[in-house]
Amino acid sequence: MNDRLRWIEPPPDASRATFAQDVRAGLEAQPPRLDCRYFYDAAGSELFEAICALEEYYLTRAETEILAEHAPTIAAGFRQPISLVELGSGSSRKTRLLIEALLAAHGSLRYVPVDISRTMLEATTRTLLADYPALEIVAVAAEYEQGLAAVRSVDDRPRLVLWLGSNVGNLHRDEAADFLRRVRDGLAEGDRLLVGIDLRKDRATLERAYDDSRGVTARFNLNLLARINRELGGDFDLAAFRHVARYDEVAGRVEMYLVSTREQMVRIRDLDLVRRFAAGEAIHTENSYKYSPAEIDRLAAAAGLRVEARFEFHESVPAGLVAAQAPGPGERVPPGSPVLLTISRGRAPTPTPVPPTPAPTPTPTPALAPDEVIVPDLIRLPEAEAMRRITASGLMTTYNNYQTVDQVAPEARAFFLSVPPGHVVSQIPAPGTRVKKGTRVHLAIRKE
Ligand code: AVI
C-alpha cells in the first residue's frame, strides 16, 4: 500500500469480453482487420518500448528532445501545483522531463497516467514514486474513454493533459477530432492540452520507421496474433504471416498489415471460430496518420481548439526549435481558452513525385471463394472508366470525392498533379485487396 498511489480500473472480465468480440468481428470482416489497441498486452508494450529506442523510429527521439528543451517553459505556464494527466502513458519516460520541471516549479504534482497495460503502469508507478517523493499518482488502467472520465474526476487542480507519442495518429482524422472535442469538453478554464503529432514526410523515412531493419516492428505486429493464441486459444502459425508497412501518401497514413504467406486455416477455440486465409490475404492491423500543418489547424478547429503554440523538431536544427507560435509571445488571449500545443519533427518534405502506392499484398492470385473478388487498380484512370471497371468486377460504386490540389498535403502534391483532372488519385479499398462481391469502392478524383 502506498498513500501516494491510487488505482482506477475497469473490471477485467469486461475488457476480455470486448477483446473476444472485437477479434471475432475483425476476423469475420472482409477485408479482415484487428484493432491496434490490442497490440498493448505486456509483451506488446515491451516491444513498443523497444520500437521507441530504434534509430529508425524517429518519433520518440524528436519528442524527447522537444520536451527536454521546453518542459521548463511549459511548467512556467502554471502558477500552482497541477494534475498532469497523460493519455496512453506507456513507460512515462519522456514525461519525466515534464514531471521534473513541474516539481521544480511547484514543489508537488499529481500525475494521472492512463494506459491500457496494467503491467506497464505498475512498473512505471513503482519507479516514479521511488524517484520523486513529492509525486502523487492516480493510475488509470483503462482505455482512453475511461481516461477521459478520470480527467473529469481529478478536478481540484488545474490540469495539463498530455497526449504524446503521435497516438492521435492511430485514429481516423474525424475520430481524432471527436476525441479531442471530448477532451476539450472535460477541461476547465486555465487547463491545457499538449498533443504530439507526427508531420507528413517522405515515404522512405516513414516506411523505415514502421518496418525497421531489426524486425522489432514486425514482432510487435505479429504479437497481436500471439496474443489471440494466448488469450483466446488461437492456433495462428506466426511463421505463416508476414509484416507489411506501406505509406499511402494521399491518405497521409502508414498502414500495417499481417499477410498470410500461404493458404491456411486458423482456429480460435474460445470463439468457436475457424477462419480460412488465402495466400496473400492481408489483415489490416494499424493506421498511423501523419499531418500537414494545415491539417493540424483543421483538426484543432474541428475539435473546438485553438493552436496556441507549436514546437517543431528539425533534424538539421537540434533540440526542439520553436518553429511557429500563435498567438505570438506576449500576446493577450482570453482567459480559459483551451490550448493545443503541437509538437512534431517537421523535417523538410522530400519534393520527389511519389508513384501510386502498391497493394499491400503481392497477391499470387489466391483461389477466390465464389463470393470474393480482387479490387482492380483504378489509380490514374478516367473516372467513368474506373466506375465501369468497378461494376464489371462485381463491386459497387459509391459517391466519389472530388479533390483540388489545395486539399492535398504538400508532400502529395507532386503525385496529385501528375494525375490529369477527372482521373482517380486514390481508392479505398486499395488495389489488390480481396473483398466480398458487392463491396463499395470509394474513389478520390482530381477535380481541376
Ligand atoms: C502508438 N503509436 C502512436 C505508434 C505509431 O507510430 O503509430 C504505434 C506503432 N506502430 C508501429 N510502430 C509504432
Side-chain angles (χ1 to χ4, degrees):
M1 267 304 277
N2 187 324
D3 60 2
R4 291 194 286 129
L5 175 62
R6 194 151 60 86
W7 281 92
I8 299 178
E9 56 190 325
D13 282 344
S15 38
R16 187 181 181 279
T18 316
F19 177 50
Q21 276 161 19
D22 288 353
V23 168
R24 174 190 294 285
L27 293 181
E28 284 178 349
Q30 201 53 257
R33 58 182 149 68
L34 289 168
D35 195 316
C36 66
R37 278 180 305 165
Y38 296 123
F39 282 143
Y40 304 94
D41 65 349
S45 299
E46 260 175 48
L47 284 164
F48 181 62
E49 286 304 304
I51 289 175
C52 292
L54 292 170
E55 173 67 24
E56 290 128 311
Y57 193 73
Y58 56 84
L59 290 85
T60 314
R61 193 170 65 250
E63 253 187 13
T64 306
E65 291 189 13
I66 291 169
L67 287 177
E69 178 84 1
H70 295 287
T73 318
I74 295 166
F78 295 91
R79 297 222 171 86
Q80 62 191 91
I82 65 165
S83 287
L84 178 66
V85 181
E86 181 167 18
L87 302 173
S89 53
S91 70
S92 306
R93 198 166 296 127
K94 286 172 293 192
T95 319
R96 282 172 171 257
L97 294 159
L98 267 172
I99 290 175
E100 284 168 22
L102 287 160
L103 284 171
H106 307 125
S108 72
L109 175 68
R110 179 183 295 148
Y111 178 45
V112 187
V114 180
D115 203 281
I116 46 181
S117 168
R118 161 104 197 188
T119 328
M120 180 62 83
L121 273 175
E122 277 169 9
T124 308
T125 52
R126 203 176 313 120
T127 52
L128 286 176
L129 288 170
D131 292 348
Y132 304 109
L135 189 67
E136 179 197 329
I137 299 184
V138 179
V140 186
E143 308 221 357
Y144 288 157
E145 289 303 320
Q146 280 132 326
L148 280 175
V151 170
R152 290 185 201 110
S153 71
V154 182
D155 58 2
D156 57 340
R157 296 176 175 200
R159 279 162 298 195
L160 171 57
V161 178
L162 301 182
W163 197 25
L164 299 179
S166 193
N167 281 314
V168 61
N170 295 138
L171 298 182
H172 290 288
R173 292 182 199 278
D174 48 357
E175 288 169 356
D178 284 352
F179 179 74
L180 283 174
R181 178 175 287 281
R182 276 178 284 139
V183 174
R184 190 214 63 169
D185 290 346
L187 297 182
E189 197 170 310
D191 291 349
R192 290 186 173 157
L193 175 61
L194 180 65
V195 185
I197 305 178
D198 192 21
L199 290 180
R200 288 186 183 241
K201 55 185 61 65
D202 63 285
R203 173 199 289 271
T205 304
L206 284 166
E207 291 188 349
R208 260 199 315 273
Y210 288 82
D211 192 5
D212 62 278
S213 52
R214 293 200 202 158
V216 184
T217 313
R219 291 210 297 284
F220 172 71
N221 200 4
L222 284 161
N223 177 58
L224 197 43
L225 304 185
R227 179 174 182 184
I228 295 172
N229 288 351
R230 282 191 295 270
E231 295 185 22
L232 301 175
D235 69 355
F236 276 104
D237 174 3
L238 269 50
F241 284 86
R242 187 167 58 85
H243 164 71
V244 172
R246 55 149 212 170
Y247 182 50
D248 178 335
E249 68 281 345
V250 175
R253 68 183 197 196
V254 178
E255 299 169 352
M256 291 206 320
Y257 295 89
L258 288 165
V259 179
S260 174
T261 57
R262 56 172 162 80
E263 162 135 22
Q264 56 184 315
M265 300 294 275
V266 174
R267 276 169 203 80
I268 302 177
R269 190 196 55 224
D270 297 1
L271 301 183
D272 204 12
L273 180 77
V274 178
R275 171 70 155 89
R276 186 183 76 92
F277 287 93
E281 188 170 0
I283 309 174
H284 188 176
T285 52
E286 188 183 62
N287 289 321
S288 210
Y289 282 87
K290 308 299 165 189
Y291 283 76
S292 66
E295 284 169 331
I296 291 173
D297 289 338
R298 283 204 288 278
L299 172 69
L305 294 160
R306 183 171 51 77
V307 178
E308 188 187 66
R310 296 168 195 265
F311 302 105
E312 292 195 18
F313 178 75
H314 292 261
E315 199 114 87
S316 54
V317 185
L321 178 88
V322 179
Q325 189 171 325
E331 269 184 52
R332 282 167 191 270
V333 293
S337 322
V339 172
L340 178 75
L341 299 175
T342 314
I343 300 180
S344 190
R345 183 180 187 227
R347 227 175 61 142
T350 314
T352 42
V354 204
T357 316
T361 56
T363 9
T365 329
L368 287 173
D371 62 342
E372 286 178 335
V373 285
I374 299 288
V375 177
D377 186 351
L378 307 165
I379 306 290
R380 294 184 188 279
L381 289 180
E383 182 177 8
E385 175 60 15
M387 304 286 268
R388 195 192 64 71
R389 290 196 195 183
I390 290 171
T391 33
S393 311
L395 298 165
M396 282 176 54
T397 55
T398 178
Y399 64 92
N400 293 332
N401 185 14
Y402 299 90
Q403 289 183 324
T404 54
V405 70
D406 54 305
Q407 293 172 300
V408 175
E411 298 83 330
R413 283 189 188 148
F415 168 67
F416 183 91
L417 293 171
S418 74
V419 177
H423 291 55
V424 178
V425 285
S426 72
Q427 66 177 85
I428 299 171
T433 310
R434 197 188 170 92
V435 293
K436 286 250 188 289
K437 278 184 184 158
T439 297
R440 291 191 184 276
V441 179
H442 183 85
L443 303 177
I445 310 291
R446 180 175 166 191
K447 193 171 170 192
E448 55 198 32

